[in-house]
Amino acid sequence: MSDSASAPASLDFIREMIAADVSAQRNDGWVITRFPPEPNGCLHIGHAKSICLNFGLALENAPNARCHLRFDDTNPTKEEVEYVDSIKQDVKWLGFDWGDHLYYASDYFEKLYGFAVNLIKKGLAYVDDQTPEQMRANRGTLTAPGTASPYRERSVEENLDLFARMRAGEFKEGERVLRARIDMASPNMNMRDPAIYRILRAHHHRTGDSWCIYPMYDYAHPLSDALESITHSLCTLEFEHHRPLYEWLIANVDGLPGQPYQREFARLSLTYTVMSKRKLLRLVKDGLVSGWDDPRMPTISGIRRRGYTPAAIRNFCKTIGLTKYPSLTDLGLLEHTVREDLNQHAQRVYAVLRPVKVVLTNYPEDQIEQIELVNNPENEADGKRLVPLSRELYIDADDFMEVPSQGFHRLVPGGEVRLKYAFCIICQEVIKDAAGNITELRCTYDEATRHGAKPVGRPKVKGTIHWVSAAQAMDVEVRLYDKLFSVEQPDEAAGDDGDFTQFMNPHSLEIVTAKIEPSIDSAKPGAHYQFERVGYFFTDPVDSQPGRLVFNRTVQLKDGFVKAK
RNA sequence: UACCUCGUGGUGUAAUGGUAACACAGGAGAUUUUGAUUCUCUCAUUCAAGGUUCGAGUCCUUGCGAGGUAGCCA
């Protein structure tokens, strides 16, 4: 994992701050970060940015550093264990390790309760009997200050009693909340006596029914950080306004083992992608994709199934940088990082996505020869393989044009093209069915143009195409994935009330039956290949069966040839 | 029309008062039995206007623009 263990050449504003803390021996030079997902959905590429940051920081600052995985499970109405498992799997897959430091905010419920009692005793928290509607009305607006709750001046004793009875289950859901007593006139809405505990009659995936009051994120998060001696609490920009509250709690709660501070960075936005959990959930629930792990989804599980590699994603996260500017990153950059990785490591294979039969009329009927192909030109150690060639072959429909466009230098009637690593062929005749569809190309091959031969005085053949031998080729299902949306910014195009699904790309999935060289028989689910001249493909780990492989297109190869109109 | 944060090529980042650098995308070319890869070259005077300074992307002022914030969600 050398790619992400090393700090970038120049430091981003967060790393700069941390480096300064370390050299000032703040926290004895320790750096303790955390990745704190709520288990209410699957992780996506945006979370990968945070994971790479937090776990990356731990690696960069070793040995006096670590990163915790903490589930922020303070809202039992939204959380499920299946998400806990999926999140752990995703973090591991990305190549990170929390060691012994797996935590749950729910593990701190008792301590958090004690801290609330502490605040009440200090006159810094009170039980409010207002309805949610009243609270909202009294909170004021962005331009007008709020007004104090009639319950704001309750005595410590009464508050203590009421809070204990909230816990004991004496009140109905929503009947009372515990509020921090700060400043109803603050220009920061989060400081206008925020609710820190609410009554929720919900079964919690870890604590079961032992609690009926649950702490709010704003309350639980800083205190959980402190309990774990987190030094740097890093989150996204929308929590900027919560920072004063974070600091208020750290300053006012007594007996905290740590003094963390929070800093914020811009979340990741990608073109042609929606990233909000709500929208991703909608795609799943409405069956617009096959699930959270649909290869078109920006989820970690989807991207993994698409065939992206952990190294590619880590490199992507390093490349996008870390700032406070809410930028929009080109999806092409993600594609670039996976091509870069797969180009080095993927084995090459010949596959014909849209087969057209080619008959070599001057090739012996019964002959089968073995052609030696290079497994990976980027790595000689990957060796070579033998692939059969015979009289009847398949080439890709894209590699033949009856009426060639300008600049096309593959196979055309009367024209010559090279079958890669074999020999050149000339198309002598185009056979069509009654409907006018091409059924067969009758060609002749030239023995003098064998691989390695240097025929003198021949014009250089410009085109080189891949091929498979018809009789030995295997049929495989290939899923050609493309971007899920056809506009750069589906969110913006839809507006606040609009339906973003109207901008889905109707061609985001095309399924074809491809002809592929027989060496693929030994392929295992979860393997990366480059189909030469086509793209990178991944054997689908869910739907592939022995002898019946399914390939997902990870990304196309760059194509320098743009068909003339 | 409150408060907070942010404005550097098409995009994402760097430059920590001293030659605006890197990556992606685009363009041009070389190499290539993958129109891939690889390699060259090319593409911005930093939102605007003032100010401080020998010197400003960086500091100050004002303006403009963008994002965020009024859950008993996180």
Side-chain angles (χ1 to χ4, degrees):
Chain A
M1 233 170 58
S2 55
D3 57 3
S4 57
S6 60
S10 64
L11 300 185
D12 54 69
F13 74 104
I14 295 219
R15 275 178 245 256
E16 212 167 279
M17 214 175 310
I18 290 177
D21 287 340
V22 169
S23 62
Q25 284 294 297
R26 183 175 177 271
N27 300 301
D28 297 325
W30 273 77
V31 176
I32 306 173
T33 56
R34 99 272 91 111
F35 174 63
E38 182 188 18
N40 69 342
C42 285
L43 259 28
H44 54 64
I45 182 77
H47 293 108
K49 179 177 180 179
S50 175
I51 292 169
C52 289
L53 204 220
N54 283 294
F55 282 95
L57 246 13
L59 259 15
E60 292 156 24
N61 290 284
N64 295 331
R66 62 174 191 259
C67 179
H68 300 180
L69 175 61
R70 180 173 74 233
F71 288 96
D72 237 325
D73 52 352
T74 56
N75 185 352
T77 65
K78 291 190 172 181
E79 296 149 9
E80 293 173 33
V81 255
E82 61 167 291
Y83 293 129
V84 170
D85 299 333
S86 127
I87 288 168
K88 285 192 215 166
Q89 183 191 3
D90 288 349
V91 174
K92 276 187 197 160
W93 178 74
L94 279 171
F96 297 107
D97 183 10
W98 54 84
D100 298 329
H101 299 281
L102 172 65
Y103 302 104
Y104 295 82
S106 53
D107 289 343
Y108 309 136
F109 280 173
E110 193 60 54
K111 282 181 179 163
L112 259 16
Y113 180 84
F115 290 146
V117 169
N118 175 239
L119 285 175
I120 293 172
K121 286 180 178 162
K122 293 170 78 174
L124 294 177
Y126 62 98
V127 173
D128 196 340
D129 301 359
Q130 292 184 105
T131 64
E133 294 70 32
Q134 289 169 325
M135 266 184 69
R136 191 179 319 122
N138 288 335
R139 183 157 30 235
T141 68
L142 293 176
T143 51
T147 50
S149 162
Y151 306 97
R152 197 172 196 256
E153 303 304 328
R154 278 218 254 243
S155 69
V156 167
E157 292 67 32
E158 190 182 4
N159 280 320
L160 250 16
D161 174 61
L162 252 14
F163 188 48
R165 289 164 59 196
M166 276 172 66
R167 176 180 184 171
E170 288 189 29
F171 307 118
K172 285 194 277 251
E173 190 164 302
E175 215 169 40
R176 283 180 168 81
V177 290
L178 184 71
R179 289 230 250 173
R181 195 169 184 278
I182 310 178
D183 177 9
M184 287 307 290
S186 171
N188 182 337
M189 302 296 285
N190 291 299
M191 299 298 271
R192 321 242 264 227
D193 290 10
I196 57 178
Y197 266 94
R198 77 291 214 184
I199 300 170
L200 244 33
R201 307 254 171 208
H203 186 83
H204 188 280
H205 67 103
R206 300 197 87 234
T207 60
D209 299 315
S210 54
W211 290 87
C212 63
I213 57 170
Y214 291 91
M216 299 283 290
Y217 164 86
D218 276 325
Y219 173 79
H221 201 90
L223 300 178
S224 302
D225 282 346
L227 285 170
E228 291 176 21
S229 294
I230 297 298
T231 57
H232 304 270
S233 186
L234 310 174
C235 59
T236 46
L237 242 28
E238 65 271 25
F239 293 104
E240 231 168 3
H241 313 269
H242 299 240
R243 189 151 111 195
L245 178 52
Y246 186 105
E247 290 171 347
W248 185 89
L249 283 159
I250 296 299
N252 286 294
V253 170
D254 299 322
L256 296 177
Q259 295 283 304
Y261 71 79
Q262 170 184 305
R263 283 298 178 274
E264 313 81 16
F265 59 92
R267 61 163 63 225
L268 171 69
S269 301
L270 272 181
T271 55
Y272 302 102
T273 307
V274 297
M275 208 74 95
S276 84
K277 265 184 194 170
R278 201 189 97 246
K279 287 180 175 136
L280 296 178
L281 186 65
R282 161 95 195 275
L283 294 173
V284 174
K285 294 279 193 239
D286 286 4
L288 298 168
V289 294
S290 67
W292 285 105
D293 67 344
D294 186 298
R296 292 166 294 182
M297 290 284 273
T299 51
I300 305 290
S301 52
I303 290 172
R304 171 169 62 230
R305 192 171 169 189
R306 175 87 168 241
Y308 275 75
T309 59
I313 293 172
R314 278 184 249 124
N315 266 332
F316 172 73
C317 289
K318 190 192 285 190
T319 306
I320 57 176
L322 196 70
T323 65
K324 303 187 79 157
Y325 181 76
S327 56
L328 178 66
T329 300
D330 192 338
L331 183 61
L333 191 58
L334 183 60
E335 297 183 337
H336 167 259
T337 57
V338 76
R339 282 196 196 100
E340 190 179 41
D341 185 29
L342 260 18
N343 179 49
Q344 293 303 316
H345 302 112
Q347 301 290 294
R348 313 286 125 128
V349 91
Y350 285 6
V352 174
L353 264 34
R354 293 175 178 83
V356 172
K357 183 166 277 188
V358 166
V359 178
L360 304 180
T361 53
N362 60 338
Y363 193 93
E365 293 245 8
D366 305 324
Q367 184 170 312
I368 300 174
E369 61 178 299
Q370 300 293 324
I371 304 287
E372 194 175 58
L373 303 185
V374 175
N375 283 331
N376 181 0
E378 302 296 321
N379 182 10
E380 211 174 311
D382 285 339
K384 296 180 175 178
R385 68 187 184 284
L386 295 173
V387 169
L389 180 147
S390 63
R391 189 170 195 265
E392 296 199 350
L393 310 168
Y394 290 109
I395 66 166
D396 204 288
D398 287 348
D399 288 334
F400 175 78
M401 281 185 97
E402 193 170 15
V403 183
S405 61
Q406 200 180 7
F408 184 81
H409 49 246
R410 276 104 94 157
L411 194 60
V412 300
E416 188 171 28
V417 79
R418 173 173 291 282
L419 298 184
K420 194 174 179 191
Y421 285 117
F423 38 61
C424 294
I425 61 172
I426 295 177
C427 176
Q428 308 291 358
E429 196 182 346
V430 180
I431 312 282
K432 296 180 182 177
D433 61 17
N437 301 310
I438 297 170
T439 56
E440 187 178 309
L441 301 172
R442 299 184 72 80
C443 303
T444 53
Y445 86 99
D446 185 351
E447 190 63 44
T449 59
R450 282 281 177 180
H451 174 63
K454 291 182 184 126
V456 190
R458 283 178 60 95
K460 191 167 161 66
V461 175
K462 275 190 178 170
T464 301
I465 65 175
H466 62 287
W467 47 272
V468 294
S469 179
Q472 292 80 23
M474 293 176 57
D475 282 350
V476 289
E477 177 178 330
V478 177
R479 299 173 178 170
L480 302 172
Y481 292 108
D482 202 348
K483 28 178 89 85
L484 230 202
F485 292 91
S486 45
V487 297
E488 277 204 353
Q489 302 184 64
D491 292 314
E492 190 167 282
D496 287 339
D497 315 310
D499 183 359
F500 69 99
T501 62
Q502 66 181 296
F503 299 106
M504 290 183 74
N505 175 9
H507 310 293
S508 63
L509 171 59
E510 183 188 355
I511 299 176
V512 298
T513 300
K515 297 286 185 184
I516 195 165
E517 60 170 79
S519 74
I520 206 69
D521 198 27
S522 58
K524 304 232 175 354
H528 303 274
Y529 292 94
Q530 184 196 99
F531 290 3
E532 269 201 58
R533 301 209 309 125
V534 178
Y536 294 100
F537 290 79
F538 185 61
T539 46
D540 190 281
V542 179
D543 294 334
S544 288
Q545 306 288 336
R548 196 193 151 277
L549 290 169
V550 174
F551 285 89
N552 298 331
R553 180 168 70 193
T554 308
V555 67
Q556 288 176 280
L557 248 32
K558 277 177 45 169
D559 189 358
F561 173 64
V562 185
K563 273 182 197 163
K565 292 281 183 285

